[in-house]
Amino acid sequence: MHDIRAIRENPAAFDAAVARRGDAGVSSEILALDEARRAKILAAETAQAEQNKASKEVGAAKGRGDEAEFERLRALVAEKKAEVAAMNTEAKALDQQLNDMLATIPNLAFEDVPLGEDEDDNVEIRRWGEPKALDFEPKEHFEIEGVKPGMDFETAAKLSGSRFVVLSGAVARIHRALAQFMINTHVDENGLTETWTPVLVREEMMYGTSQLPKFGEDSYKTTNGWWLVPTAEVTLTNIVNGLTVEEGYLPRRYVAHTQCFRSEAGSAGKDTAGMLRQHQFEKVEMVSVTHPDKSVEEHERMTRCAEDILERLGLPYRTIVLCTGDMGFGARKTHDIEVWVPGQNTYREISSVSVCGDFQARRMNARFKPADGGKPQFVHTLNGSGLAVGRCLIAVLENGQQADGSVKLPEVLAPYLGSKLTLSAEGQLV
């Protein structure tokens, strides 16, 4: 959500910032609605004052026996009361129109975000690790002999349809081990608070983190009005929904391992092989709620938290800054981390870390009281994957694959796998 006062003060700057996101300037429409709304509110207040004045005079007219004046004033009170109700209704409708329009305009990018239209205009800022030179043709995760017994797409299709998978045996255990490793690292070493949250949420929670109203088709809604979360960003960020906290409460740093659900609307025919793009998947999500002065610094810290997981797993990656045309709706700046997957001979996104400024906080009405006693301010929010568990499983399997169909697993997973760090070609941990 955008600050209407900032738009009033500098509509040209707002339109220029919106244009950087690839959208047409809309300040004139916004300000026209805002002016009409404010005019109705003023008219309602004027009519209310006239009603109040007439109400006081009714009694006086009655007391002095002036029946004609009494009836005139009583009729005037009724007339003004009806006017006030009608104008308040119109003002409320205009206010809703204004909010609806503001809710569909993307967040404004930081000035240092590169201009661009799509992923081709993203800018790489660093790399870590070198892809291994293999003396055999690498396979995709679902083609590796040792993986096949534990990754069943046919049964999943029977149970649920396309874009689902059934994991079993050693592969399921490796998947679980990765999530536990991520959570433990973030809690024990990165200072995040482990949190377990629902995966069914109220509609207003989806609105608070800007999945609604514009992107409803990307998620699943139940028949009784709940939404399945596309990411734990929804629940973790909305912990502060409607709250005004003390400045000393900040920063709050949360992490949760949850199931996530996405309809993948508009992605027909894209990444259909294997488990790269699923309707149901697991993710370890990080969310920070910070003081406005600290959010840029926090963005870098969160990015490092995600990168560090990949480094500990020995997985080569690159970090890029998304351009204005490829950023998510609610972000002011986004770092994507892409992991090397030799089966596709490319880097694929495994984490997206975004700073949202006060965009979500305005939608949630989440504020803090400054320690110096000043006026409450909106908090800043950030979110990022730390990491997508299924995609991390893909990267571990493909980077560790051997010519004989077995897979060498990262040393850091030893405590979670009974120190068995090889997935045999027969699909067993040994």
Side-chain angles (χ1 to χ4, degrees), residues 377-396:
Q377 301 175 35
F378 289 107
V379 299
H380 279 197
T381 61
L382 305 94
N383 62 80
S385 310
L387 306 159
V389 182
R391 291 196 172 194
C392 196
L393 175 66
I394 290 171
V396 164

Side-chain angles (χ1 to χ4, degrees), residues 51 63 80 86 102 130 144 147 156 193 276 317 327 344 348 377 389 394-395 410 429:
Q51 177 189 335
K80 292 300 177 182
L102 291 173
E130 287 292 330
I144 300 170
V147 175
T193 299
L276 191 65
Y317 68 85
M327 280 181 9
Q344 293 187 23
R348 297 302 300 254
Q377 301 175 35
V389 182
I394 290 171
L429 282 173

